[in-house]
Amino acid sequence: MKKSFFVLGCVSVLATNPALAQDSEPPVVKMAVIEALSGPNSLIANLMASATRYTVETETAKPDYKGPKVELREYDTQGLSNLVSDRLRQALDDGANVIVNGNSAAAALISEAVVRNNKRNPDHTVLFLDTVGAAMELTGTKCQFYHFRGSSDVSTAIKAIVLGMKDAGALGTKVYAFNQNYTFGQDINKAVNEYAGIGGYTVVGETLHEVQKIQDFAPYVAALASKSPDSVITGNYGNDLLLFLKASRDAGQKYALGAYQLDTPGTLAAAGPSAEGGFAVNTFNAELDADSAALAEDYKAKTGKYPVMTAPKTVQSLTLFFKALNSLAGKDKVTAEDMAVALENTTMQTGAGAIHYRKEDHQIIAPVIVSQVSKDAKYKVDGTDMGFKPIKVINGEDAVSAVQPTCKMERPTGL
């Protein structure tokens, strides 16, 4: 089911480029958001979709944007993996040449399908902008030329959490890894073990549990507590995170919490005081500097909400994409290969530092910000008296994990 259709950028392009208006129509880039826009896990997907609309509208309206005309459509997978391929096929039939998605599980399916499409249809290749996926395989065994990951991978994010918690004196010497049993959660457990050396801790236990099916986490918390950890690191989100925090609170547990997605909307409100002191990681914090605050206010003015969780990563990576698109102004035709090479050669400055894509695996390199839930935070969250106070910024080159040896990217001939 298609949800929405937007045509953007045409008027502003023609109005600001008289030569194009008189001589020829500019090329068209058709972007397709393929996400779980309805269903139980639609909250996160809609954050990404809203951020995509904001960025497309904002960037194509800028007076200095002279790149291709942009059309944007949204395709709803309803959170069903068997619909991902169907929606992708619809998008390709509609002429899409840029796919946008940010869910790790669906991203793997889309990335593989994009590879197949581009081999079968060399005259209609497509680019895949994976704005918030984090699973390691997408820049490892499944890395490919047409895929660009716009957020930190799991290894980078967990390394930042470990360093941030250690600097704050909250990490301790006994750490427990508590995660969902699929690629993303498995990657986090692996990273928690990988960074034990730099964190100076022992991993005293690990759990991988079913995803979004458990209603009572008390038995899991009891098993975890038997190991007496100083801290717990988790990538849980949605109900799995909320119910885990509730069970921990009910059990009176006091361990420090490093939660990759603690900034999921509604989490602090549901967790209450038990969330205070927890650590989260992102590539954005509105409190960090004036530029970040300005972006947050503009986003709120246009969408009604401050950018949180997946939204700022999407805005940053797509703004970088539009900067690359603008460098293609004047071309009669814009291909996926043109956009990919332009992205590889584009750098953008954010409030926290420069961001760009690494050519070897198309992993974004961006500053990583560790924040702590605090009543001292400027921007309160979920109607609570708490927010995310930035405590540590790691520049992109220091934060990013190394290129995985399993990445064997095949580039198109001549590129």
Side-chain angles (χ1 to χ4, degrees):
M1 175 173 62
K2 294 173 193 172
K3 184 179 183 183
S4 308
F5 176 48
F6 312 91
V7 180
L8 301 159
C10 181
V11 174
S12 62
V13 171
L14 295 179
T16 55
N17 195 334
L20 284 176
Q22 293 172 5
D23 298 332
S24 63
E25 289 292 325
V28 177
V29 168
K30 294 187 176 183
M31 300 178 67
V33 172
I34 300 176
E35 270 293 358
L37 301 172
S38 63
N41 294 319
S42 61
L43 170 64
I44 298 172
N46 278 294
L47 284 177
M48 189 278 277
S50 177
T52 299
R53 291 194 295 274
Y54 165 83
T55 309
V56 173
E57 292 168 359
T58 300
E59 293 304 310
T60 56
K62 288 181 176 176
D64 62 348
Y65 179 74
K66 304 186 186 304
K69 182 172 70 173
V70 175
E71 296 178 5
L72 175 63
R73 294 189 181 192
E74 296 176 351
Y75 298 80
D76 184 7
T77 68
Q78 302 172 41
L80 302 175
S81 58
N82 62 325
L83 288 184
V84 173
S85 296
D86 179 69
R87 300 300 181 253
L88 177 61
R89 175 49 52 197
Q90 288 183 26
L92 295 176
D93 288 345
D94 289 338
N97 53 357
V98 176
I99 305 299
V100 185
N101 174 272
N103 179 291
S104 290
L109 296 175
I110 292 173
S111 186
E112 292 171 346
V114 164
V115 170
R116 291 194 297 272
N117 173 80
N118 291 353
K119 287 182 177 178
R120 294 169 181 167
N121 303 286
D123 294 330
H124 183 67
T125 53
V126 298
L127 192 71
F128 177 24
L129 302 179
D130 173 15
T131 58
V132 293
M136 298 300 292
E137 64 180 2
L138 291 167
T139 49
T141 55
K142 295 182 178 179
C143 82
Q144 51 109 344
F145 178 76
Y146 297 93
H147 168 264
F148 285 79
R149 188 213 302 275
S151 66
S152 302
D153 63 25
V154 164
S155 181
T156 299
I158 298 306
K159 178 183 176 183
I161 284 181
V162 166
L163 292 176
M165 294 179 73
K166 183 179 181 181
D167 286 357
L171 187 62
T173 59
K174 296 185 292 183
V175 173
Y176 198 104
F178 191 84
N179 288 290
Q180 297 161 322
N181 192 15
Y182 76 112
T183 306
F184 175 67
Q186 294 161 5
D187 284 344
I188 291 184
N189 271 17
K190 182 180 179 181
V192 171
N193 281 279
E194 180 182 355
Y195 293 117
I198 65 171
Y201 58 79
T202 299
V203 179
V204 295
E206 302 177 40
T207 291
L208 288 171
H209 61 78
E210 288 187 292
V211 182
Q212 308 292 356
K213 292 183 178 178
I214 300 168
Q215 296 301 312
D216 182 8
F217 276 87
Y220 291 90
V221 170
L224 182 156
S226 71
K227 303 294 184 181
S228 302
D230 298 313
S231 56
V232 174
I233 295 178
T234 180
N236 278 13
Y237 57 86
N239 278 342
D240 282 350
L241 178 58
L242 296 177
L243 295 175
F244 171 66
L245 292 177
K246 180 179 183 300
S248 297
R249 181 187 62 199
D250 292 345
Q253 294 301 312
K254 300 296 184 184
Y255 40 72
L257 178 69
Y260 184 17
Q261 311 200 67
L262 190 57
D263 55 355
T264 304
T267 300
L268 297 197
S274 63
E276 187 173 7
F279 295 81
V281 63
N282 207 315
T283 57
F284 177 86
N285 187 307
E287 190 173 333
L288 191 64
D289 55 77
D291 288 344
S292 299
L295 171 60
E297 295 299 339
D298 185 65
Y299 191 91
K300 184 181 181 183
K302 294 177 179 175
T303 69
K305 298 178 180 177
Y306 286 120
V308 298
M309 199 197 178
T310 57
K313 301 172 188 175
T314 300
V315 172
Q316 289 175 336
S317 62
L318 291 185
T319 301
L320 185 64
F321 171 67
F322 274 94
K323 187 175 175 63
L325 270 190
N326 211 16
S327 72
L328 300 174
K331 293 179 69 71
D332 294 333
K333 180 181 179 182
V334 173
T335 67
E337 290 78 14
D338 293 331
M339 292 184 279
V341 172
L343 258 181
E344 288 180 334
N345 291 286
T346 299
T347 298
M348 185 181 81
Q349 196 68 29
T350 71
I355 66 173
H356 66 94
Y357 282 102
R358 184 165 57 194
K359 188 174 183 179
E360 289 82 359
D361 59 356
H362 291 175
Q363 167 64 51
I364 203 166
I365 297 179
V368 178
I369 299 131
V370 182
S371 301
Q372 188 169 19
V373 178
S374 170
K375 294 180 180 177
D376 294 331
K378 179 178 179 181
Y379 296 89
K380 309 303 184 188
V381 175
D382 295 340
T384 72
D385 59 353
M386 301 179 290
F388 293 91
K389 186 78 174 176
I391 63 165
K392 186 178 183 67
V393 179
I394 306 173
N395 74 60
E397 298 294 342
D398 291 337
V400 71
S401 58
V403 177
Q404 298 174 73
T406 52
C407 176
K408 309 293 183 185
M409 181 183 289
E410 295 182 10
R411 300 179 67 86
T413 302
L415 296 181

